[in-house]
Amino acid sequence: MKCEIIPERCIACGLCQTIASEIFDYTDDGLVLFVGEPGVTHEFIPKDQQATVIEAAKRCPSHAILYQK
Ligand code: SF4
């Protein structure tokens, strides 16, 4: 599954990391990024992480996390 993050939409609510801490992290300003990959906006999500990423995407209040199965 592919995942895209759109930091321009992120409102730094902190929710996605609490749901999928192995995938999402934040800049010093609290904006979403992929763990260990600052500057990257697309990532392949391994199968064992897909459910949490989908949950984070659905619950993100600003629709800053997209996914494509
Ligand atoms: S849930 Fe959405 S708005 Fe909140 S920190 Fe994550 S990407 Fe940003």
Side-chain angles (χ1 to χ4, degrees):
M1 185 181 92
K2 293 178 186 171
C3 180
E4 177 182 2
I5 51 173
I6 306 172
E8 295 81 6
R9 290 185 184 174
C10 178
I11 59 169
C13 76
L15 186 63
C16 56
Q17 194 190 34
T18 67
I19 297 170
S21 61
E22 293 185 32
I23 302 295
F24 302 115
D25 200 356
Y26 303 111
T27 66
D28 290 343
D29 294 329
L31 299 178
V32 67
L33 52 76
F34 288 118
V35 169
E37 297 193 272
V40 173
T41 56
H42 294 73
E43 187 167 283
F44 178 79
I45 306 298
K47 205 169 183 94
D48 65 345
Q49 295 293 324
Q50 291 180 5
T52 53
V53 168
I54 290 170
E55 184 184 351
K58 287 182 174 174
R59 293 178 63 185
C60 172
S62 61
H63 306 289
I65 302 170
L66 309 177
Y67 64 91
Q68 189 175 32
K69 288 186 178 177

